[in-house]
C-alpha cells in the first residue's frame, strides 16, 4: 500500500519446503574458520528435508529526495529434518531422525536503513540490523581424577 505521504507498506509471507537435499558439510564446534575442511570437528549432515516459513513487514519512503528511509521486521523459522550425522574424526555415523532449528535460524530480525543524498553524485547510508541469536552450544572439557 502506498500512502499519500509517499510511505509504502508491504506485508509478505512465505513457506518453502525443501526436499532432495545434498549432504551438508559443517564444523560442529566452530562455524567461522578460514579453512574449515582442515579442522578435526568436521561432520556431514544428512537431511530428509527442510522448511522455511515466515512473515515480513516493510515500511519505506524513497521518493528520490535528499532523505530516504526503510524499516523492516521479519519473523521466520527454519527447521531441518536431520536423518543422520557422520563424524569424520572417528568415522562414526549416528542416526538422529529429529527435527530442529537450522544453525542460522533467525526468528526475529529488525532492519533500519537511512540515506542522505546531498547531490546526484553523492549518497551516504547508515544501516543497522539486529536479530535473535543463532543456536549455539558451548563446548568445554571437564577433567576428573580417579584413584
Amino acid at each position: 500500500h502506498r500512502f499519500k505521504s509517499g510511505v509504502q507498506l508491504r506485508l509478505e509471507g512465505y513457506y518453502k519446503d525443501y526436499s532432495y537435499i545434498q549432504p551438508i558439510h559443517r564444523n560442529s564446534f566452530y562455524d567461522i574458520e578460514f579453512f574449515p575442511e582442515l579442522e578435526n570437528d568436521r561432520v556431514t549432515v544428512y537431511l530428509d528435508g527442510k522448511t522455511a516459513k515466515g512473515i515480513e513487514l516493510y515500511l519505506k519512503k524513497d521518493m528520490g529526495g535528499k532523505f530516504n528511509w526503510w524499516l523492516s521486521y521479519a519473523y521466520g523459522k527454519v527447521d531441518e529434518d536431520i536423518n543422520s550425522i557422520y563424524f569424520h574424526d572417528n568415522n562414526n555415523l549416528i542416526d538422529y531422525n529429529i527435527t530442529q532449528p537450522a544453525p542460522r535460524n533467525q526468528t526475529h530480525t529488525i532492519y533500519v536503513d537511512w540515506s542522505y543524498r546531498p547531490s546526484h553524485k553523492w549518497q551516504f547510508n547508515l544501516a543497522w540490523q539486529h536479530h535473535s541469536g543463532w543456536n549455539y552450544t558451548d563446548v568445554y572439557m571437564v577433567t576428573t581424577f580417579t584413584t
Side-chain angles (χ1 to χ4, degrees), residues 44 85 119 124:
T44 302
I85 300 177
S119 70
F124 299 96

Side-chain angles (χ1 to χ4, degrees), residues 18 25 38 46 50 55 61 64 67 73 92 106 114 122:
Y18 300 89
H25 301 287
L38 298 178
Y46 297 92
K50 185 178 193 177
I55 189 166
K61 184 168 183 180
F67 296 99
Y73 168 76
N92 197 5
Q106 295 178 192
W114 178 81
W122 286 91

Side-chain angles (χ1 to χ4, degrees), residues 16-86:
K16 299 176 183 180
D17 190 11
Y18 300 89
S19 57
Y20 305 107
I21 301 171
Q22 294 293 320
I24 300 169
H25 301 287
R26 295 181 179 153
N27 287 66
S28 57
F29 296 144
Y30 305 106
D31 198 26
I32 301 174
E33 298 172 359
F34 286 112
F35 299 105
E37 58 277 352
L38 298 178
E39 300 298 327
N40 64 351
D41 62 338
R42 199 73 167 157
V43 297
T44 302
V45 180
Y46 297 92
L47 300 177
D48 286 332
K50 185 178 193 177
T51 58
K53 54 189 170 186
I55 189 166
E56 299 179 38
L57 177 67
Y58 301 92
L59 276 174
K60 177 181 178 182
K61 184 168 183 180
D62 187 358
M63 298 180 61
K66 287 190 175 201
F67 296 99
N68 299 293
W69 53 267
W70 175 30
L71 303 168
S72 71
Y73 168 76
Y75 175 83
K77 189 171 181 181
V78 180
D79 286 325
E80 295 179 334
D81 299 325
I82 299 175
N83 180 322
S84 58
I85 300 177
Y86 175 73

Side-chain angles (χ1 to χ4, degrees), residues 73-77 105-109 131-133:
Y73 168 76
Y75 175 83
K77 189 171 181 181
N105 182 50
Q106 295 178 192
T107 307
H108 303 280
T109 304
H131 61 79
S132 57

Side-chain angles (χ1 to χ4, degrees), residues 1-11 58-60:
H1 180 77
R2 184 183 301 260
F3 295 97
K4 291 180 182 180
S5 63
V7 174
Q8 296 176 29
L9 171 67
R10 190 170 76 202
L11 180 66
Y58 301 92
L59 276 174
K60 177 181 178 182

